[in-house]
């Protein structure tokens, strides 16, 4: 009976020892935080940065794991008013990570797991950053200076998050214009596209007309050259054939009798003796 009691006592001691001692492994891409929950050490000095294999007492200590790699966070959309009162929707997506070695500092300040810090605390900073910067622009300026707005907001938010020991990577605002403005922009774009279409059609018609005019001018020039050539040919042929044609006509009308009397061109008449002799 005494032996049984001893065995039970040893078992109880081992169970208590095991219950009071646990082990966890901190991933290489994370920083571990061991927190003392009770006792005289609880307070500002109760947070210890740990790595690798960590032994702790689950009854009096907790271990948190803060990822140090870049996380892409897609926040819920929220509304912000512009300087002139127009409502804009911001749907931000950011890449963010704790600054190396600052996990314990972040935990000391907020006493929350990293996921809660990112989605609760940092979201408040992000909303405030967009509220401050967007309120300094009118609706027209947000349309014409969209790139500038994105840049100044990102620079401002990067400074704010650095003070919270976070590093901001790439980010997009997902800025959405008011419905009325979206409709106006769409109508304007459609009008511009329609004007460009008409302009292109007019240009095509003008180009086709110029082409036809050029072709007509070319044909007219060719015909003129041809006509001029034929006229020149006819004049040349006519000049060269006129004397021959006259002689041919005279021969066609000649009865074969050689005249004995002819004129000398001065009105005088004389006998052609050579013809008489022949």
């Amino acid at each position: 009976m005494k032996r049984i009691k001893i065995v039970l006592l040893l078992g109880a001691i081992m169970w208590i020892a095991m219950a009071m001692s646990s082990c966890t492994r901190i991933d290489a891409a994370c920083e571990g935080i061991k927190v003392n929950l009770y006792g005289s050490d609880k307070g500002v000095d109760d947070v210890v940065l740990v790595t690798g294999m960590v032994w702790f007492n689950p009854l009096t200590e907790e271990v948190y794991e803060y990822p140090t790699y870049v996380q892409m966070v897609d926040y819920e959309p929220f509304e912000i008013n512009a300087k002139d009162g127009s409502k804009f929707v911001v749907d931000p997506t950011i890449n963010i990570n704790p600054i190396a070695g600052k996990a314990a500092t972040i935990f000391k300040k907020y006493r929350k797991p990293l996921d809660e810090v990112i989605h609760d605390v940092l979201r408040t900073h992000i909303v405030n950053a967009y509220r401050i910067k967007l309120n300094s622009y009118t609706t027209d300026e947000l349309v014409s200076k969209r790139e500038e707005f994105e840049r100044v907001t990102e620079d401002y938010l990067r400074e704010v998050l650095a003070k919270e020991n976070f590093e901001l990577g790439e980010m997009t605002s997902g800025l959405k214009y008011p419905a009325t403005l979206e409709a106006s922009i769409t109508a304007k774009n459609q009008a511009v596209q329609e004007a460009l279409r008409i302009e292109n059609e007019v240009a095509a018609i003008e180009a086709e007309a110029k082409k036809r005019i050029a072709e007509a001018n070319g044909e007219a020039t060719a015909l003129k050259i041809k006509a001029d050539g034929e006229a020149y040919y006819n004049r040349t042929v006519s000049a060269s054939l006129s004397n021959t044609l006259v002689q041919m006509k005279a021969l066609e009308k000649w009865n074969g009798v050689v005249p004995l009397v002819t004129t000398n061109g001065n009105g005088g008449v004389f006998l052609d003796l050579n013809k008489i002799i022949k």
Side-chain angles (χ1 to χ4, degrees):
M1 187 69 178
K2 185 177 180 180
R3 179 178 292 179
I4 294 175
K5 289 181 178 180
I6 294 173
V7 171
L8 291 175
L9 181 60
L10 290 174
I13 293 172
M14 291 180 63
W15 182 85
I16 293 172
M18 291 178 63
M20 295 180 64
S21 180
S22 294
C23 180
T24 187
R25 181 179 180 278
I26 303 301
D27 189 81
C30 301
E31 291 181 354
I33 304 165
K34 186 165 69 171
V35 183
N36 184 24
L37 302 176
Y38 305 101
S40 60
D41 292 335
K42 184 177 183 299
V44 294
D45 296 326
D46 62 346
V47 178
V48 180
L49 188 64
V50 292
T51 57
M53 299 299 296
V54 180
W55 292 89
F56 66 100
N57 184 344
L59 299 178
T60 61
E61 296 175 319
E62 282 186 354
V63 175
Y64 293 88
E65 192 174 63
Y66 270 30
T68 55
Y69 53 80
V70 176
Q71 300 182 55
M72 186 178 73
V73 186
D74 187 4
Y75 289 98
E76 290 294 320
F78 51 88
E79 284 188 348
I80 300 291
N81 289 338
K83 189 176 182 179
D84 53 5
S86 298
K87 289 185 180 296
F88 286 77
V89 175
V90 180
D91 187 9
T93 300
I94 69 173
N95 290 337
I96 195 169
N97 61 280
I99 296 174
K102 295 296 184 178
T105 304
I106 295 171
F107 185 84
K108 284 181 180 180
K109 184 174 183 177
Y110 297 110
R111 299 285 171 165
K112 294 180 178 181
L114 182 62
D115 188 64
E116 291 184 25
V117 175
I118 289 176
H119 286 87
D120 296 337
V121 178
L122 296 191
R123 184 180 185 277
T124 301
H125 287 299
I126 291 170
V127 171
N128 287 336
Y130 277 103
R131 178 181 56 79
I132 293 170
K133 294 304 176 182
L134 198 142
N135 284 347
S136 63
Y137 287 85
T138 64
T139 300
D140 290 342
E141 289 172 338
L142 285 168
V143 174
S144 61
K145 299 180 180 179
R146 171 73 177 269
E147 186 176 343
E148 175 189 306
F149 161 73
E150 299 281 3
R151 186 181 66 255
V152 297
T153 304
E154 182 175 340
D155 291 343
Y156 176 79
L157 186 57
R158 179 170 284 106
E159 293 181 5
V160 171
L161 296 182
K163 294 177 181 178
E164 300 298 325
N165 297 299
F166 282 90
E167 184 176 5
L168 176 64
E170 295 181 357
M171 63 172 287
T172 57
S173 68
L175 186 67
K176 297 178 181 178
Y177 299 116
T180 54
L181 182 59
E182 289 278 5
S184 175
I185 293 174
T186 300
K188 180 180 178 181
N189 290 336
Q190 290 176 346
V192 170
Q193 292 175 1
E194 181 65 14
L196 288 174
R197 184 186 67 79
I198 294 173
E199 183 179 342
N200 290 335
E201 288 182 355
V202 170
I205 293 172
E206 290 178 348
E208 181 65 22
K210 290 179 180 179
K211 177 182 177 182
R212 292 181 180 179
I213 291 172
E215 291 176 350
N217 288 337
E219 291 177 359
T221 301
L223 290 174
K224 184 177 184 304
I225 293 173
K226 181 179 179 181
D228 290 345
E230 290 178 351
Y232 176 78
Y233 173 79
N234 291 334
R235 288 196 302 272
T236 303
V237 171
S238 297
S240 62
L241 293 181
S242 58
N243 293 331
T244 304
L245 288 174
V246 171
Q247 294 177 1
M248 289 179 64
K249 292 293 183 180
L251 288 173
E252 288 176 358
K253 295 180 180 181
W254 184 45
N255 56 7
V257 178
V258 177
L260 298 178
V261 181
T262 185
T263 62
N264 61 1
N266 295 320
V269 178
F270 63 91
L271 292 175
D272 190 345
L273 297 178
N274 290 327
K275 294 178 179 179
I276 296 174
I277 295 171
K278 289 178 179 180

